[in-house]
Amino acid sequence: MADYTIETKAAFTVLGIGTVLTGGFPEMGQQKAAFWQKINTEHALDSLVGVNDYPFAVNEAVNGEFCYYAGREVTADTVVADGQRLITFPAGKYLVIKGTAADQMGLYNALEGPAFGEILPQLTDYAYVGGPNTSYVTGTDADGVHGEMLVPLVEK
């Protein structure tokens, strides 16, 4: 099982550029990869001025649709342009998983799979009851791309 901690985090906000995902999980994985390829090719995140340069990937259900965003952490008073969305993460307990992979998509996949497939089903004192969750890159070095996944939790 992946290493994880449960930590109290301050509230934060991500400004994202999004897409709606459809189909089953295999199709959604392919759609996420294609979306990131487009975001990276077009340098779309360059237009988002954040509090750091970390690229965030956010999963969120909005109006019954599964939305996926590429974004940056911003201040809560950031002005939103057309085609962008502010995604608020409340202060509270979060499942925190750290990982390393060869590339950005590999990192996101390496974090999401264990979070939802292994760790969350085995937690006895906490539960994920919805809300946005995010993976983000914290750095790159000779070992690969490093990052974290944050999933909001409530006590059972």
Side-chain angles (χ1 to χ4, degrees):
M1 182 181 323
D3 289 332
Y4 70 91
T5 58
I6 296 174
E7 301 176 18
T8 301
K9 296 285 188 181
F12 64 98
T13 303
V14 173
L15 178 61
I17 303 165
T19 189
V20 175
L21 303 177
T22 59
F25 286 109
E27 293 86 7
M28 287 183 185
Q30 293 167 350
Q31 291 170 39
K32 287 178 179 183
F35 178 68
W36 271 106
Q37 182 175 10
K38 178 182 175 190
I39 291 293
N40 290 332
T41 299
E42 295 175 355
H43 303 280
L45 290 183
D46 293 350
S47 65
L48 304 181
V49 178
V51 297
N52 57 48
D53 288 334
Y54 301 156
F56 280 71
V58 177
N59 298 295
E60 182 182 37
V62 178
N63 299 325
E65 295 181 309
F66 190 76
C67 298
Y68 186 68
Y69 301 92
R72 297 214 190 276
E73 184 178 357
V74 296
T75 58
D77 61 350
T78 297
V79 176
V80 178
D82 191 37
Q84 299 175 345
R85 177 174 167 80
L86 282 178
I87 305 132
T88 302
F89 291 81
K93 299 283 186 187
Y94 282 83
L95 170 66
V96 180
I97 307 167
K98 296 180 187 221
T100 301
D103 59 29
Q104 182 182 6
M105 269 321 295
L107 174 68
Y108 296 153
N109 291 333
L111 296 171
E112 284 184 15
F116 291 96
E118 298 172 21
I119 299 168
L120 287 169
Q122 294 182 17
L123 291 181
T124 57
D125 296 333
Y126 295 94
Y128 171 62
V129 293
N133 61 77
T134 186
S135 299
Y136 59 100
V137 173
T138 59
T140 304
D141 62 20
D143 294 329
V145 179
H146 306 278
E148 294 183 346
M149 179 163 197
L150 303 177
V151 180
L153 300 173
V154 296
E155 290 189 46
K156 287 185 178 178

